[in-house]
C-alpha cells in the first residue's frame, strides 16, 4: 500500500481534519479489513488484511492526534524532526521555564485546584495558538516556521499531560 494516511481516509492533506469524517471512515475501514473477515481466505490474504488493518490503526491514531498529525504533515513535506530536538526560540524557552515552575509550585499553592485550572487553561490557549501558527505556516509552505510551531506543540502537549496527571494525583 503506497497511500498516505490522508488518502487512506479520503481526506484532504491539511492540518485541519474533519474528525467526524475520520471517525466514520475509520469504522468503515475497520469493518472492511477486520482480520476475522479473512479467516477463510488464503494465508497471503490474511497477512495482507492484517497489515492493512494495522496501517489503518496507525493512520487513525496519527490523524486524531494534533501533534502527531503536524509531525506527519512535515514528514510528508520532507522535514524530519529529531524527537530530542527543542525549540531555539528564547522567548518561548523562558515561557517554558515559567510554566514548569508554576506546575512544580501547584502543590504548595493556597488553592492547588484553582492554580492547576488556571495553568491548564493558559496551556490550552497556548496550544491553540501554536496549532493556528502551524496551520498557517503549512498553508504558506513556511516549513521552518511549521517545524518551530511543532516543537512548541510537543512541549505544550507534554505539559498538558503532566497537568492532567497532577490533577488526578491531587484528587486521590
Amino acid at each position: 500500500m503506497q497511500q498516505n494516511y490522508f488518502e487512506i481516509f479520503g481526506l484532504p492533506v491539511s492540518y485541519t481534519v474533519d474528525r467526524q469524517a475520520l471517525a466514520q471512515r475509520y469504522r468503515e475501514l475497520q469493518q472492511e479489513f477486520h482480520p476475522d473477515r479473512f479467516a477463510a481466505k488464503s494465508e497471503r490474504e490474511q497477512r495482507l488484511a492484517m497489515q492493512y488493518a494495522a496501517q489503518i490503526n496507525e493512520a487513525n491514531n496519527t490523524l486524531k492526534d494534533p501533534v502527531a498529525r503536524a509531525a506527519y504533515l512535515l514528514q510528508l513535506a520532507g522535514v524530519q524532526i529529531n524527537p530530542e530536538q527543542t525549540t531555539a526560540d528564547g522567548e518561548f524557552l523562558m515561557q517554558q521555564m515559567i510554566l514548569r515552575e508554576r506546575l512544580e509550585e501547584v502543590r504548595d499553592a493556597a488553592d492547588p485546584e484553582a492554580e492547576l485550572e488556571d495553568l491548564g487553561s493558559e496551556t490550552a490557549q497556548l496550544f491553540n495558538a501554536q496549532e493556528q501558527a502551524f496551520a498557517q505556516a503549512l498553508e504558506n509552505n513556511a516549513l521552518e516556521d511549521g517545524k518551530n510551531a511543532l516543537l512548541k506543540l510537543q512541549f505544550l502537549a507534554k505539559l498538558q499531560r503532566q497537568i492532567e496527571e497532577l490533577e488526578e494525583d491531587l484528587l486521590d
Side-chain angles (χ1 to χ4, degrees):
M1 176 187 308
Q2 296 299 320
Q3 295 176 302
N4 72 41
Y5 294 166
F6 294 94
E7 291 169 340
I8 290 172
F9 289 97
L11 297 170
V13 178
S14 169
Y15 182 69
T16 304
V17 168
D18 180 342
R19 292 181 148 269
Q20 192 172 11
L22 175 64
Q24 181 179 345
R25 187 68 182 131
Y26 176 66
R27 283 190 299 273
E28 292 168 359
L29 289 170
Q30 270 190 321
Q31 288 177 351
E32 188 176 344
F33 292 98
H34 194 281
D36 290 348
R37 294 182 59 116
F38 292 81
K41 303 284 183 176
S42 71
E43 193 172 305
R44 182 180 183 279
E45 289 171 306
Q46 289 178 18
R47 186 171 33 80
L48 288 174
M50 195 173 304
Q51 289 173 346
Y52 196 60
Q55 188 169 16
I56 290 166
N57 287 333
E58 184 179 325
N60 183 56
N61 289 337
T62 299
L63 297 183
K64 275 191 334 189
D65 181 326
V67 175
R69 185 172 59 246
Y72 182 69
L73 283 163
L74 287 178
Q75 181 186 337
L76 287 177
V79 177
Q80 295 296 319
I81 304 285
N82 179 341
E84 305 298 320
Q85 191 173 359
T86 59
T87 181
D89 180 337
E91 187 176 323
F92 188 77
L93 289 171
M94 182 61 75
Q95 192 174 30
Q96 268 185 301
M97 197 170 69
I98 292 168
L99 291 168
R100 283 192 178 138
E101 285 175 4
R102 284 182 57 195
L103 182 63
E104 288 174 12
E105 294 169 359
V106 162
R107 287 183 188 277
D108 299 328
D111 186 353
E113 289 181 29
E115 179 61 25
L116 203 55
E117 190 173 317
D118 287 347
L119 184 59
S121 177
E122 184 177 335
T123 303
Q125 288 176 353
L126 292 168
F127 190 88
N128 289 339
Q130 288 307 317
E131 281 192 294
Q132 291 175 4
F134 181 84
Q136 187 70 42
L138 193 66
E139 190 176 305
N140 294 333
N141 204 28
L143 299 178
E144 194 61 33
D145 292 344
K147 183 177 174 181
N148 288 328
L150 172 59
L151 294 173
K152 294 173 185 175
L153 282 170
Q154 288 174 331
F155 166 77
L156 293 166
K158 183 178 178 183
L159 184 63
Q160 286 178 323
R161 286 190 302 274
Q162 291 171 332
I163 290 169
E164 290 169 6
E165 289 170 9
L166 183 56
E167 185 176 20
E168 286 177 21
D169 197 35
L170 287 174
L171 294 176
D172 286 342

